[in-house]
Amino acid sequence: MRVNVTVNGEQRQADDVWEGESLLYLLRERLGLPGSKNACEQGECGSCTVYLDSVPVCACLVAAGQAQDREVRTVEGLVQGDRLDPVQEAFVDAGAVQCGFCTPGLVVAAHDLLDRVPKPSDPEIREALAGNLCRCTGYEKILDAVRLAASRKEAGA
Amino acid sequence: MDFLRPDTLAEALAHKAERPDAVPIAGGTDVMVELNFDHRRPAALLDLTRIAELRTWDEDDGAVRIGAAVPYTRIIEELGGRLPGLAMASRTVGSPQIRNRGTVGGNLGAASPAGDTHPVLLAAGATVEAASTRGTRLIPATDFYLGVKRHALEPDELITAVHVPVTHAPQQFSKVGTRNAMVIAVCSFAVALHPAQSRVGAAVGSAAPTPRRASAAEEFLSAELTSTNQWESPKPLLDSVKRRFGDLVAEAASPIDDVRGSAAYRKHALSVLARRTLGWAWQDYSGKVA
């Protein structure tokens, strides 16, 4: 089947999409957007988190056909021109990146949290990131990155 | 495989009548896992997410009718005041990403014994609305679950909504898992006070082939509270009453030993969950009546 979807503000089209295919496969393998990572394919790890109509979802659990006529924003789409999003910048500056595999999903989840809750408490950060697994960092640097992004956003606002 | 994309409920029901083998998909949090792991190759997927009326809820005649495709996040944000138990159980589902997509309709359709909302639906006295081209019918939650992942729907029917009575009386839900987030229940329990009917609702999850009501526990506690006139003038519950309630809840379960826990552990944990949640609910009720 053919799927038409707006991805990072651009109208995209994919042909010969298998009906049981996930949005994640569509993004990575058909549209050439490898930012969202493919790890567990069961919604446990959060590394494929993208916005679907402004709501963070696991792209592996959305059928590609369900994205027809909808808007997807991936980690690639958070960049404004050649400037990283403040959340992406904070992850770099706080050293919240090790192997980097979980980073895109965490960045999207943290981005959504700070959109909804500009000054999150630690429990709020932990809850918001509860669906994103990281196997290298121990999460402390990731929590630091979210706190840093929040404080910079506040200072900039 | 076909991908069916109806825009209206009438269209969806026509599809389902013609293709009873079509698998409905809304949030996809169960169906897509089965597809990704090649555990299932349905002849067709029936996408319900484009049907506007399945994404709305409304309140009528003392109950909230929640469309089958309303995600958990919206139940938590919009219905916590009216349906405290359901909102509480919804908060324990998966992660934010999963709660943004997953639905009570999907929980019912999957009919897993471990589904988080089932004990609440049973304890609160919910009804499942099922529709087909032949018409619409209401199935009490008590009659809905037939076996492991089996329910009372006919092959041409779709779950369109769940009706949950609005309450200002306390409800509690609690589950045991190996961590706080992203966990399937080892066992779970819901209690709902129904002071207008001088009755208590109680149900267990993940501790029998289906979610099920703990009827003997419900009857014992309802009789105890009514005979001591405690609905009108609540007193702190006797330990012996809480303990007996917990024991009867555990007796209602027939769990299995599996990777998540032993049957004996599940029964023990249920008796503790029952005592605790009843304690919280009763304290809350006493505060409201006083």
Side-chain angles (χ1 to χ4, degrees), chain B residues 118-120 122-125 172 188-194 199-205 211-219 221-222 245 248-249 252 274 277-278:
Chain B
H118 304 320
V120 169
L122 288 169
Q172 285 289 340
S188 63
F189 178 74
V191 62
L193 303 182
H194 302 286
R199 189 173 71 76
V200 176
V204 302
R212 59 162 73 148
R213 281 172 65 180
S215 307
E218 290 179 340
E219 283 159 24
L221 187 60
S222 305
F245 179 68
L248 288 170
V249 165
T277 52
L278 172 62

PDB file of all heavy atoms in Angstrom, chain B residues 118-120 122-125 172 188-194 199-205 211-219 221-222 245 248-249 252 274 277-278:
ATOM      1  N   HIS B 118      -8.908  -4.310  34.108  1.00  0.00           N
ATOM      2  CA  HIS B 118      -9.983  -5.294  34.327  1.00  0.00           C
ATOM      3  C   HIS B 118     -10.519  -5.340  35.759  1.00  0.00           C
ATOM      4  O   HIS B 118     -11.741  -5.308  35.953  1.00  0.00           O
ATOM      5  CB  HIS B 118      -9.540  -6.696  33.897  1.00  0.00           C
ATOM      6  CG  HIS B 118      -9.072  -6.782  32.483  1.00  0.00           C
ATOM      7  ND1 HIS B 118      -9.675  -6.110  31.445  1.00  0.00           N
ATOM      8  CD2 HIS B 118      -8.050  -7.473  31.921  1.00  0.00           C
ATOM      9  CE1 HIS B 118      -9.041  -6.371  30.311  1.00  0.00           C
ATOM     10  NE2 HIS B 118      -8.049  -7.194  30.577  1.00  0.00           N
ATOM     11  N   PRO B 119      -9.640  -5.429  36.779  1.00  0.00           N
ATOM     12  CA  PRO B 119     -10.194  -5.511  38.145  1.00  0.00           C
ATOM     13  C   PRO B 119     -11.044  -4.291  38.499  1.00  0.00           C
ATOM     14  O   PRO B 119     -12.090  -4.436  39.154  1.00  0.00           O
ATOM     15  CB  PRO B 119      -8.940  -5.587  39.032  1.00  0.00           C
ATOM     16  CG  PRO B 119      -7.865  -6.082  38.143  1.00  0.00           C
ATOM     17  CD  PRO B 119      -8.174  -5.551  36.772  1.00  0.00           C
ATOM     18  N   VAL B 120     -10.632  -3.117  38.014  1.00  0.00           N
ATOM     19  CA  VAL B 120     -11.404  -1.906  38.303  1.00  0.00           C
ATOM     20  C   VAL B 120     -12.765  -1.970  37.612  1.00  0.00           C
ATOM     21  O   VAL B 120     -13.802  -1.628  38.205  1.00  0.00           O
ATOM     22  CB  VAL B 120     -10.640  -0.647  37.842  1.00  0.00           C
ATOM     23  CG1 VAL B 120     -11.540   0.571  37.898  1.00  0.00           C
ATOM     24  CG2 VAL B 120      -9.400  -0.427  38.694  1.00  0.00           C
ATOM     25  N   LEU B 122     -14.462  -4.536  36.861  1.00  0.00           N
ATOM     26  CA  LEU B 122     -15.303  -5.510  37.578  1.00  0.00           C
ATOM     27  C   LEU B 122     -15.792  -4.940  38.897  1.00  0.00           C
ATOM     28  O   LEU B 122     -16.974  -5.049  39.230  1.00  0.00           O
ATOM     29  CB  LEU B 122     -14.503  -6.801  37.819  1.00  0.00           C
ATOM     30  CG  LEU B 122     -14.246  -7.668  36.582  1.00  0.00           C
ATOM     31  CD1 LEU B 122     -13.220  -8.756  36.902  1.00  0.00           C
ATOM     32  CD2 LEU B 122     -15.549  -8.294  36.079  1.00  0.00           C
ATOM     33  N   ALA B 123     -14.897  -4.325  39.663  1.00  0.00           N
ATOM     34  CA  ALA B 123     -15.271  -3.810  40.982  1.00  0.00           C
ATOM     35  C   ALA B 123     -16.230  -2.629  40.872  1.00  0.00           C
ATOM     36  O   ALA B 123     -17.115  -2.441  41.710  1.00  0.00           O
ATOM     37  CB  ALA B 123     -14.017  -3.406  41.766  1.00  0.00           C
ATOM     38  N   ALA B 124     -16.060  -1.815  39.812  1.00  0.00           N
ATOM     39  CA  ALA B 124     -16.890  -0.621  39.654  1.00  0.00           C
ATOM     40  C   ALA B 124     -18.237  -0.935  39.019  1.00  0.00           C
ATOM     41  O   ALA B 124     -19.141  -0.112  39.025  1.00  0.00           O
ATOM     42  CB  ALA B 124     -16.150   0.412  38.800  1.00  0.00           C
ATOM     43  N   GLY B 125     -18.376  -2.119  38.447  1.00  0.00           N
ATOM     44  CA  GLY B 125     -19.640  -2.472  37.803  1.00  0.00           C
ATOM     45  C   GLY B 125     -19.782  -1.887  36.414  1.00  0.00           C
ATOM     46  O   GLY B 125     -20.830  -1.364  36.044  1.00  0.00           O
ATOM     47  N   GLN B 172      -9.992   2.053  44.999  1.00  0.00           N
ATOM     48  CA  GLN B 172      -8.541   1.859  45.044  1.00  0.00           C
ATOM     49  C   GLN B 172      -8.131   0.752  44.101  1.00  0.00           C
ATOM     50  O   GLN B 172      -8.887  -0.196  43.870  1.00  0.00           O
ATOM     51  CB  GLN B 172      -8.082   1.504  46.474  1.00  0.00           C
ATOM     52  CG  GLN B 172      -8.067   2.683  47.443  1.00  0.00           C
ATOM     53  CD  GLN B 172      -6.941   3.684  47.161  1.00  0.00           C
ATOM     54  OE1 GLN B 172      -5.959   3.352  46.505  1.00  0.00           O
ATOM     55  NE2 GLN B 172      -7.107   4.900  47.655  1.00  0.00           N
ATOM     56  N   SER B 188      -2.952  -8.147  40.788  1.00  0.00           N
ATOM     57  CA  SER B 188      -3.503  -6.810  41.026  1.00  0.00           C
ATOM     58  C   SER B 188      -4.861  -6.948  41.680  1.00  0.00           C
ATOM     59  O   SER B 188      -5.485  -8.019  41.648  1.00  0.00           O
ATOM     60  CB  SER B 188      -3.609  -6.022  39.716  1.00  0.00           C
ATOM     61  OG  SER B 188      -4.505  -6.666  38.831  1.00  0.00           O
ATOM     62  N   PHE B 189      -5.307  -5.831  42.278  1.00  0.00           N
ATOM     63  CA  PHE B 189      -6.555  -5.876  43.026  1.00  0.00           C
ATOM     64  C   PHE B 189      -7.235  -4.511  42.976  1.00  0.00           C
ATOM     65  O   PHE B 189      -6.572  -3.476  43.038  1.00  0.00           O
ATOM     66  CB  PHE B 189      -6.265  -6.251  44.488  1.00  0.00           C
ATOM     67  CG  PHE B 189      -7.500  -6.261  45.338  1.00  0.00           C
ATOM     68  CD1 PHE B 189      -8.418  -7.297  45.209  1.00  0.00           C
ATOM     69  CD2 PHE B 189      -7.759  -5.241  46.230  1.00  0.00           C
ATOM     70  CE1 PHE B 189      -9.579  -7.311  45.969  1.00  0.00           C
ATOM     71  CE2 PHE B 189      -8.913  -5.247  46.999  1.00  0.00           C
ATOM     72  CZ  PHE B 189      -9.825  -6.284  46.862  1.00  0.00           C
ATOM     73  N   ALA B 190      -8.548  -4.536  42.867  1.00  0.00           N
ATOM     74  CA  ALA B 190      -9.324  -3.287  42.891  1.00  0.00           C
ATOM     75  C   ALA B 190     -10.474  -3.422  43.877  1.00  0.00           C
ATOM     76  O   ALA B 190     -11.096  -4.492  43.973  1.00  0.00           O
ATOM     77  CB  ALA B 190      -9.869  -2.959  41.510  1.00  0.00           C
ATOM     78  N   VAL B 191     -10.718  -2.338  44.592  1.00  0.00           N
ATOM     79  CA  VAL B 191     -11.874  -2.310  45.489  1.00  0.00           C
ATOM     80  C   VAL B 191     -12.650  -1.028  45.213  1.00  0.00           C
ATOM     81  O   VAL B 191     -12.057   0.015  44.919  1.00  0.00           O
ATOM     82  CB  VAL B 191     -11.434  -2.417  46.976  1.00  0.00           C
ATOM     83  CG1 VAL B 191     -10.555  -1.254  47.406  1.00  0.00           C
ATOM     84  CG2 VAL B 191     -12.642  -2.525  47.896  1.00  0.00           C
ATOM     85  N   ALA B 192     -13.984  -1.127  45.256  1.00  0.00           N
ATOM     86  CA  ALA B 192     -14.846   0.037  45.030  1.00  0.00           C
ATOM     87  C   ALA B 192     -15.955   0.016  46.065  1.00  0.00           C
ATOM     88  O   ALA B 192     -16.625  -1.010  46.241  1.00  0.00           O
ATOM     89  CB  ALA B 192     -15.440  -0.012  43.622  1.00  0.00           C
ATOM     90  N   LEU B 193     -16.104   1.141  46.772  1.00  0.00           N
ATOM     91  CA  LEU B 193     -17.209   1.237  47.733  1.00  0.00           C
ATOM     92  C   LEU B 193     -18.447   1.764  47.006  1.00  0.00           C
ATOM     93  O   LEU B 193     -18.340   2.703  46.214  1.00  0.00           O
ATOM     94  CB  LEU B 193     -16.834   2.175  48.882  1.00  0.00           C
ATOM     95  CG  LEU B 193     -15.558   1.824  49.664  1.00  0.00           C
ATOM     96  CD1 LEU B 193     -15.344   2.808  50.811  1.00  0.00           C
ATOM     97  CD2 LEU B 193     -15.595   0.389  50.190  1.00  0.00           C
ATOM     98  N   HIS B 194     -19.584   1.131  47.269  1.00  0.00           N
ATOM     99  CA  HIS B 194     -20.856   1.569  46.673  1.00  0.00           C
ATOM    100  C   HIS B 194     -21.834   1.876  47.802  1.00  0.00           C
ATOM    101  O   HIS B 194     -22.753   1.087  48.060  1.00  0.00           O
ATOM    102  CB  HIS B 194     -21.426   0.474  45.766  1.00  0.00           C
ATOM    103  CG  HIS B 194     -20.526   0.058  44.644  1.00  0.00           C
ATOM    104  ND1 HIS B 194     -20.309   0.837  43.530  1.00  0.00           N
ATOM    105  CD2 HIS B 194     -19.770  -1.059  44.459  1.00  0.00           C
ATOM    106  CE1 HIS B 194     -19.478   0.218  42.703  1.00  0.00           C
ATOM    107  NE2 HIS B 194     -19.121  -0.934  43.246  1.00  0.00           N
ATOM    108  N   ARG B 199     -22.882  -1.665  49.436  1.00  0.00           N
ATOM    109  CA  ARG B 199     -22.225  -2.809  48.816  1.00  0.00           C
ATOM    110  C   ARG B 199     -20.768  -2.459  48.522  1.00  0.00           C
ATOM    111  O   ARG B 199     -20.431  -1.295  48.301  1.00  0.00           O
ATOM    112  CB  ARG B 199     -22.961  -3.095  47.506  1.00  0.00           C
ATOM    113  CG  ARG B 199     -22.614  -4.354  46.776  1.00  0.00           C
ATOM    114  CD  ARG B 199     -23.574  -4.548  45.610  1.00  0.00           C
ATOM    115  NE  ARG B 199     -23.334  -3.576  44.527  1.00  0.00           N
ATOM    116  CZ  ARG B 199     -22.314  -3.679  43.666  1.00  0.00           C
ATOM    117  NH1 ARG B 199     -21.438  -4.651  43.751  1.00  0.00           N
ATOM    118  NH2 ARG B 199     -22.164  -2.773  42.705  1.00  0.00           N
ATOM    119  N   VAL B 200     -19.927  -3.508  48.509  1.00  0.00           N
ATOM    120  CA  VAL B 200     -18.519  -3.336  48.169  1.00  0.00           C
ATOM    121  C   VAL B 200     -18.216  -4.168  46.921  1.00  0.00           C
ATOM    122  O   VAL B 200     -18.697  -5.308  46.809  1.00  0.00           O
ATOM    123  CB  VAL B 200     -17.626  -3.831  49.333  1.00  0.00           C
ATOM    124  CG1 VAL B 200     -16.152  -3.754  48.945  1.00  0.00           C
ATOM    125  CG2 VAL B 200     -17.881  -3.025  50.586  1.00  0.00           C
ATOM    126  N   GLY B 201     -17.456  -3.600  45.989  1.00  0.00           N
ATOM    127  CA  GLY B 201     -17.004  -4.359  44.827  1.00  0.00           C
ATOM    128  C   GLY B 201     -15.525  -4.689  44.998  1.00  0.00           C
ATOM    129  O   GLY B 201     -14.759  -3.856  45.500  1.00  0.00           O
ATOM    130  N   ALA B 202     -15.142  -5.888  44.605  1.00  0.00           N
ATOM    131  CA  ALA B 202     -13.735  -6.295  44.747  1.00  0.00           C
ATOM    132  C   ALA B 202     -13.398  -7.280  43.634  1.00  0.00           C
ATOM    133  O   ALA B 202     -14.206  -8.150  43.305  1.00  0.00           O
ATOM    134  CB  ALA B 202     -13.513  -6.948  46.110  1.00  0.00           C
ATOM    135  N   ALA B 203     -12.212  -7.121  43.033  1.00  0.00           N
ATOM    136  CA  ALA B 203     -11.836  -8.026  41.946  1.00  0.00           C
ATOM    137  C   ALA B 203     -10.325  -8.172  41.857  1.00  0.00           C
ATOM    138  O   ALA B 203      -9.582  -7.246  42.197  1.00  0.00           O
ATOM    139  CB  ALA B 203     -12.400  -7.520  40.615  1.00  0.00           C
ATOM    140  N   VAL B 204      -9.902  -9.339  41.397  1.00  0.00           N
ATOM    141  CA  VAL B 204      -8.465  -9.626  41.279  1.00  0.00           C
ATOM    142  C   VAL B 204      -8.063  -9.710  39.812  1.00  0.00           C
ATOM    143  O   VAL B 204      -8.864 -10.067  38.950  1.00  0.00           O
ATOM    144  CB  VAL B 204      -8.088 -10.956  41.995  1.00  0.00           C
ATOM    145  CG1 VAL B 204      -8.466 -10.891  43.457  1.00  0.00           C
ATOM    146  CG2 VAL B 204      -8.728 -12.166  41.318  1.00  0.00           C
ATOM    147  N   GLY B 205      -6.801  -9.370  39.531  1.00  0.00           N
ATOM    148  CA  GLY B 205      -6.240  -9.503  38.195  1.00  0.00           C
ATOM    149  C   GLY B 205      -4.964 -10.324  38.236  1.00  0.00           C
ATOM    150  O   GLY B 205      -4.305 -10.408  39.277  1.00  0.00           O
ATOM    151  N   PRO B 211      -9.609 -12.175  34.677  1.00  0.00           N
ATOM    152  CA  PRO B 211      -9.839 -11.286  35.815  1.00  0.00           C
ATOM    153  C   PRO B 211     -11.150 -11.741  36.445  1.00  0.00           C
ATOM    154  O   PRO B 211     -12.060 -12.143  35.722  1.00  0.00           O
ATOM    155  CB  PRO B 211     -10.000  -9.910  35.168  1.00  0.00           C
ATOM    156  CG  PRO B 211      -9.627 -10.064  33.735  1.00  0.00           C
ATOM    157  CD  PRO B 211      -9.713 -11.492  33.378  1.00  0.00           C
ATOM    158  N   ARG B 212     -11.266 -11.689  37.756  1.00  0.00           N
ATOM    159  CA  ARG B 212     -12.533 -12.138  38.349  1.00  0.00           C
ATOM    160  C   ARG B 212     -12.872 -11.409  39.635  1.00  0.00           C
ATOM    161  O   ARG B 212     -11.994 -10.913  40.335  1.00  0.00           O
ATOM    162  CB  ARG B 212     -12.522 -13.648  38.587  1.00  0.00           C
ATOM    163  CG  ARG B 212     -11.428 -14.147  39.505  1.00  0.00           C
ATOM    164  CD  ARG B 212     -11.742 -15.545  40.027  1.00  0.00           C
ATOM    165  NE  ARG B 212     -11.593 -16.581  39.003  1.00  0.00           N
ATOM    166  CZ  ARG B 212     -11.197 -17.833  39.272  1.00  0.00           C
ATOM    167  NH1 ARG B 212     -10.903 -18.189  40.516  1.00  0.00           N
ATOM    168  NH2 ARG B 212     -11.099 -18.727  38.315  1.00  0.00           N
ATOM    169  N   ARG B 213     -14.184 -11.345  39.900  1.00  0.00           N
ATOM    170  CA  ARG B 213     -14.639 -10.728  41.127  1.00  0.00           C
ATOM    171  C   ARG B 213     -14.394 -11.664  42.296  1.00  0.00           C
ATOM    172  O   ARG B 213     -14.452 -12.890  42.155  1.00  0.00           O
ATOM    173  CB  ARG B 213     -16.128 -10.408  41.037  1.00  0.00           C
ATOM    174  CG  ARG B 213     -16.382  -9.139  40.250  1.00  0.00           C
ATOM    175  CD  ARG B 213     -17.826  -8.902  39.990  1.00  0.00           C
ATOM    176  NE  ARG B 213     -18.587  -8.666  41.221  1.00  0.00           N
ATOM    177  CZ  ARG B 213     -19.888  -8.441  41.229  1.00  0.00           C
ATOM    178  NH1 ARG B 213     -20.557  -8.411  40.099  1.00  0.00           N
ATOM    179  NH2 ARG B 213     -20.510  -8.236  42.371  1.00  0.00           N
ATOM    180  N   ALA B 214     -14.125 -11.086  43.448  1.00  0.00           N
ATOM    181  CA  ALA B 214     -13.986 -11.865  44.687  1.00  0.00           C
ATOM    182  C   ALA B 214     -15.336 -11.792  45.404  1.00  0.00           C
ATOM    183  O   ALA B 214     -15.518 -11.011  46.334  1.00  0.00           O
ATOM    184  CB  ALA B 214     -12.858 -11.292  45.534  1.00  0.00           C
ATOM    185  N   SER B 215     -16.283 -12.611  44.943  1.00  0.00           N
ATOM    186  CA  SER B 215     -17.678 -12.475  45.386  1.00  0.00           C
ATOM    187  C   SER B 215     -17.857 -12.737  46.870  1.00  0.00           C
ATOM    188  O   SER B 215     -18.590 -12.015  47.553  1.00  0.00           O
ATOM    189  CB  SER B 215     -18.586 -13.407  44.591  1.00  0.00           C
ATOM    190  OG  SER B 215     -18.391 -13.198  43.214  1.00  0.00           O
ATOM    191  N   ALA B 216     -17.191 -13.777  47.378  1.00  0.00           N
ATOM    192  CA  ALA B 216     -17.361 -14.101  48.805  1.00  0.00           C
ATOM    193  C   ALA B 216     -16.830 -12.954  49.674  1.00  0.00           C
ATOM    194  O   ALA B 216     -17.432 -12.609  50.697  1.00  0.00           O
ATOM    195  CB  ALA B 216     -16.643 -15.407  49.140  1.00  0.00           C
ATOM    196  N   ALA B 217     -15.718 -12.342  49.227  1.00  0.00           N
ATOM    197  CA  ALA B 217     -15.161 -11.212  49.973  1.00  0.00           C
ATOM    198  C   ALA B 217     -16.115 -10.024  49.917  1.00  0.00           C
ATOM    199  O   ALA B 217     -16.336  -9.331  50.916  1.00  0.00           O
ATOM    200  CB  ALA B 217     -13.796 -10.826  49.391  1.00  0.00           C
ATOM    201  N   GLU B 218     -16.684  -9.784  48.739  1.00  0.00           N
ATOM    202  CA  GLU B 218     -17.657  -8.689  48.578  1.00  0.00           C
ATOM    203  C   GLU B 218     -18.837  -8.893  49.530  1.00  0.00           C
ATOM    204  O   GLU B 218     -19.254  -7.960  50.226  1.00  0.00           O
ATOM    205  CB  GLU B 218     -18.207  -8.659  47.139  1.00  0.00           C
ATOM    206  CG  GLU B 218     -17.207  -8.221  46.084  1.00  0.00           C
ATOM    207  CD  GLU B 218     -17.813  -8.241  44.672  1.00  0.00           C
ATOM    208  OE1 GLU B 218     -18.846  -8.934  44.467  1.00  0.00           O
ATOM    209  OE2 GLU B 218     -17.248  -7.577  43.781  1.00  0.00           O
ATOM    210  N   GLU B 219     -19.378 -10.124  49.541  1.00  0.00           N
ATOM    211  CA  GLU B 219     -20.570 -10.402  50.363  1.00  0.00           C
ATOM    212  C   GLU B 219     -20.259 -10.292  51.852  1.00  0.00           C
ATOM    213  O   GLU B 219     -21.039  -9.725  52.620  1.00  0.00           O
ATOM    214  CB  GLU B 219     -21.126 -11.792  50.031  1.00  0.00           C
ATOM    215  CG  GLU B 219     -21.900 -11.779  48.727  1.00  0.00           C
ATOM    216  CD  GLU B 219     -22.016 -13.166  48.104  1.00  0.00           C
ATOM    217  OE1 GLU B 219     -21.911 -14.182  48.842  1.00  0.00           O
ATOM    218  OE2 GLU B 219     -22.191 -13.226  46.865  1.00  0.00           O
ATOM    219  N   LEU B 221     -17.924  -8.513  53.378  1.00  0.00           N
ATOM    220  CA  LEU B 221     -17.694  -7.141  53.832  1.00  0.00           C
ATOM    221  C   LEU B 221     -18.969  -6.302  53.746  1.00  0.00           C
ATOM    222  O   LEU B 221     -19.259  -5.499  54.647  1.00  0.00           O
ATOM    223  CB  LEU B 221     -16.573  -6.499  53.004  1.00  0.00           C
ATOM    224  CG  LEU B 221     -16.116  -5.131  53.479  1.00  0.00           C
ATOM    225  CD1 LEU B 221     -15.589  -5.179  54.913  1.00  0.00           C
ATOM    226  CD2 LEU B 221     -15.031  -4.570  52.551  1.00  0.00           C
ATOM    227  N   SER B 222     -19.743  -6.492  52.688  1.00  0.00           N
ATOM    228  CA  SER B 222     -21.004  -5.747  52.562  1.00  0.00           C
ATOM    229  C   SER B 222     -21.908  -6.058  53.750  1.00  0.00           C
ATOM    230  O   SER B 222     -22.500  -5.149  54.353  1.00  0.00           O
ATOM    231  CB  SER B 222     -21.715  -6.104  51.253  1.00  0.00           C
ATOM    232  OG  SER B 222     -20.859  -5.886  50.156  1.00  0.00           O
ATOM    233  N   PHE B 245     -11.393 -10.294  55.061  1.00  0.00           N
ATOM    234  CA  PHE B 245     -11.598  -9.801  53.689  1.00  0.00           C
ATOM    235  C   PHE B 245     -10.413 -10.225  52.807  1.00  0.00           C
ATOM    236  O   PHE B 245     -10.594 -10.773  51.721  1.00  0.00           O
ATOM    237  CB  PHE B 245     -11.742  -8.275  53.723  1.00  0.00           C
ATOM    238  CG  PHE B 245     -11.941  -7.627  52.380  1.00  0.00           C
ATOM    239  CD1 PHE B 245     -13.118  -7.821  51.666  1.00  0.00           C
ATOM    240  CD2 PHE B 245     -10.965  -6.803  51.837  1.00  0.00           C
ATOM    241  CE1 PHE B 245     -13.313  -7.206  50.424  1.00  0.00           C
ATOM    242  CE2 PHE B 245     -11.152  -6.191  50.597  1.00  0.00           C
ATOM    243  CZ  PHE B 245     -12.322  -6.392  49.895  1.00  0.00           C
ATOM    244  N   LEU B 248     -10.466 -13.947  52.052  1.00  0.00           N
ATOM    245  CA  LEU B 248     -11.499 -14.320  51.072  1.00  0.00           C
ATOM    246  C   LEU B 248     -11.097 -13.875  49.657  1.00  0.00           C
ATOM    247  O   LEU B 248     -11.394 -14.568  48.681  1.00  0.00           O
ATOM    248  CB  LEU B 248     -12.851 -13.704  51.462  1.00  0.00           C
ATOM    249  CG  LEU B 248     -13.509 -14.349  52.691  1.00  0.00           C
ATOM    250  CD1 LEU B 248     -14.704 -13.518  53.159  1.00  0.00           C
ATOM    251  CD2 LEU B 248     -13.942 -15.781  52.391  1.00  0.00           C
ATOM    252  N   VAL B 249     -10.415 -12.732  49.557  1.00  0.00           N
ATOM    253  CA  VAL B 249      -9.920 -12.285  48.243  1.00  0.00           C
ATOM    254  C   VAL B 249      -8.905 -13.307  47.711  1.00  0.00           C
ATOM    255  O   VAL B 249      -8.967 -13.728  46.558  1.00  0.00           O
ATOM    256  CB  VAL B 249      -9.293 -10.880  48.335  1.00  0.00           C
ATOM    257  CG1 VAL B 249      -8.468 -10.562  47.085  1.00  0.00           C
ATOM    258  CG2 VAL B 249     -10.381  -9.826  48.527  1.00  0.00           C
ATOM    259  N   ALA B 252     -10.437 -16.341  46.332  1.00  0.00           N
ATOM    260  CA  ALA B 252     -11.122 -16.180  45.043  1.00  0.00           C
ATOM    261  C   ALA B 252     -10.166 -16.415  43.877  1.00  0.00           C
ATOM    262  O   ALA B 252     -10.590 -16.687  42.756  1.00  0.00           O
ATOM    263  CB  ALA B 252     -11.715 -14.777  44.938  1.00  0.00           C
ATOM    264  N   ALA B 274      -5.430  -6.552  49.330  1.00  0.00           N
ATOM    265  CA  ALA B 274      -6.848  -6.364  49.671  1.00  0.00           C
ATOM    266  C   ALA B 274      -6.974  -5.629  51.001  1.00  0.00           C
ATOM    267  O   ALA B 274      -7.764  -4.685  51.126  1.00  0.00           O
ATOM    268  CB  ALA B 274      -7.555  -7.720  49.722  1.00  0.00           C
ATOM    269  N   THR B 277      -5.632  -1.859  50.449  1.00  0.00           N
ATOM    270  CA  THR B 277      -6.490  -0.980  49.636  1.00  0.00           C
ATOM    271  C   THR B 277      -7.809  -0.726  50.346  1.00  0.00           C
ATOM    272  O   THR B 277      -8.334   0.391  50.307  1.00  0.00           O
ATOM    273  CB  THR B 277      -6.746  -1.588  48.240  1.00  0.00           C
ATOM    274  OG1 THR B 277      -7.209  -2.925  48.409  1.00  0.00           O
ATOM    275  CG2 THR B 277      -5.501  -1.571  47.385  1.00  0.00           C
ATOM    276  N   LEU B 278      -8.327  -1.747  51.029  1.00  0.00           N
ATOM    277  CA  LEU B 278      -9.561  -1.538  51.791  1.00  0.00           C
ATOM    278  C   LEU B 278      -9.318  -0.510  52.890  1.00  0.00           C
ATOM    279  O   LEU B 278     -10.147   0.383  53.113  1.00  0.00           O
ATOM    280  CB  LEU B 278     -10.055  -2.866  52.392  1.00  0.00           C
ATOM    281  CG  LEU B 278     -11.232  -2.727  53.357  1.00  0.00           C
ATOM    282  CD1 LEU B 278     -12.460  -2.141  52.648  1.00  0.00           C
ATOM    283  CD2 LEU B 278     -11.581  -4.082  53.989  1.00  0.00           C
TER     284      LEU B 278
END
